[in-house]
Amino acid sequence: MNTALLYPTLSHQQIYEEYSAKIYRYFRYRVKNVWDVEDLTTTVFIKVYSKLEQYDGRHPFGAWIFRIAHNALIDYMRKKRECPVDQETFSSMKATDDLPEECLMTQESTDVLWQKVHTLTADQRNVIQLRYLADLRMNEIAEILGKTEASVKILHFRGIKKLQQIMKAQA
């Protein structure tokens, strides 16, 4: 199927403007070196533009782009064997305004909350990060992680519940 028929009005610039900040945040949390984050973000868009005619519309466009980003991150980690950024670096990052309302009282509590994300299971952590750092919908997250939407919703619910319990215990 021709991508031009699916997205006749999306130019490369529009695709970049809509997804670049989300993809950058997605990488920034996981990669220490800012230059590598920028390189990874650029690499994703090069791949997206080169494979745009292969997009068949079976999955949401954002999920398709984030699948490319997710695969690029996996390739990078395999090559670099790098650990995710340390707690201090991540806590200084600003989260989006889409966090659960009860956790967004102050910037300090938000920083503590994001530090506690590391206590979640890997799957819960991925769902939370894709939801709130990349601002993706549940169906897009399911496509990226290769899971059903129902399992992603359960992971999200359990992760949020665990974070609420941790935050309540600290209060």
Side-chain angles (χ1 to χ4, degrees):
M1 182 177 276
N2 187 348
T3 309
L5 297 174
L6 294 169
Y7 289 95
T9 60
L10 280 183
S11 68
H12 288 187
Q13 181 178 351
Q14 290 168 320
I15 293 169
Y16 182 81
E17 287 172 0
E18 183 169 342
Y19 293 100
S20 62
K22 294 174 184 178
I23 289 173
Y24 182 90
R25 276 193 312 268
Y26 175 69
F27 288 141
R28 184 66 188 110
Y29 170 70
R30 292 173 165 90
V31 177
K32 289 180 185 177
N33 186 320
V34 176
W35 295 286
D36 287 345
V37 172
E38 291 169 359
D39 288 346
L40 278 167
T41 303
T42 301
T43 300
V44 167
F45 284 98
I46 290 169
K47 288 180 181 180
V48 166
Y49 299 150
S50 69
K51 297 176 184 240
L52 199 54
E53 60 275 343
Q54 293 176 11
Y55 175 68
D56 59 10
R58 288 185 295 155
H59 308 290
F61 191 67
W64 180 75
I65 288 175
F66 268 90
R67 175 55 95 175
I68 292 171
H70 185 71
N71 290 340
L73 179 64
I74 290 169
D75 291 345
Y76 171 83
M77 293 297 207
R78 283 183 188 146
K79 287 178 189 172
K80 291 282 188 172
R81 300 276 186 224
E82 181 174 343
C83 297
V85 269
D86 59 312
Q87 297 284 342
E88 215 172 58
T89 303
F90 182 67
S91 68
S92 68
M93 294 173 61
K94 302 286 187 244
T96 66
D97 292 336
D98 294 335
L99 288 172
E101 188 176 330
E102 62 270 23
C103 295
L104 192 59
M105 294 181 185
T106 65
Q107 183 60 44
E108 185 177 294
S109 66
T110 302
D111 292 344
V112 170
L113 171 70
W114 282 111
Q115 289 173 359
K116 300 304 177 193
V117 168
H118 288 286
T119 65
L120 302 176
T121 66
D123 284 339
Q124 290 171 340
R125 200 169 46 241
N126 283 333
V127 169
I128 298 293
Q129 291 163 354
L130 288 168
R131 177 73 183 108
Y132 298 109
L133 292 177
D135 197 29
L136 296 178
R137 295 185 311 267
M138 295 297 180
N139 63 332
E140 293 172 320
I141 296 168
E143 288 294 328
I144 292 165
L145 299 178
K147 297 183 179 300
T148 65
E149 189 172 347
S151 67
V152 167
K153 287 179 180 179
I154 290 169
L155 287 166
H156 180 263
F157 175 79
R158 289 179 180 163
I160 293 295
K161 204 66 153 161
K162 185 174 180 182
L163 288 172
Q164 287 173 339
Q165 290 169 350
I166 292 169
M167 297 300 285
K168 203 178 274 187
Q170 285 186 338

